[in-house]
Amino acid sequence: MFVMELTYTAPVEAVEDEMDAHVAWLDGYYAAGVFLASGRKVPREGGVILAGGVSRAEVERIAAEDPFTVAGVCAYRITEFIATKTSADLSTVREIPAP
């Protein structure tokens, strides 16, 4: 699983200009079952996306195609982790660590 942390690199007004395209991009990956949760940071300096079921190379490709990235208004920090414990609602994304 991955934590995709976005940090805005442009004023919020520039981010807002890309918001509709960003939300459509999010919706596509929710529909594909890749994105599990997302939202704004507090204070509003970026956002966080939880993603699963893809490789690191794939999640990096997905981040690169985010309209925010394409427009140059955010930078991503991607952290991979093994979700060995989850809520019941996320039980399908639990992982067994390699020995």
Side-chain angles (χ1 to χ4, degrees), residues 25-94:
W25 170 84
L26 287 169
D27 289 346
Y29 284 102
Y30 274 109
V34 174
F35 290 169
L36 307 171
S38 61
R40 293 177 179 169
K41 292 181 192 175
V42 178
R44 189 176 178 193
E45 57 188 27
V48 175
I49 302 167
L50 293 182
V54 294
S55 68
R56 178 154 194 115
E58 182 72 3
V59 83
E60 288 174 355
R61 184 194 61 76
I62 290 168
E65 71 181 26
D66 179 351
F68 282 176
T69 303
V70 173
V73 301
C74 88
Y76 271 92
R77 177 175 172 229
I78 298 171
T79 304
E80 185 171 4
F81 74 102
I82 299 170
T84 56
K85 189 163 181 70
T86 66
S87 69
D89 291 340
L90 292 176
S91 64
T92 60
V93 297
R94 281 187 204 140

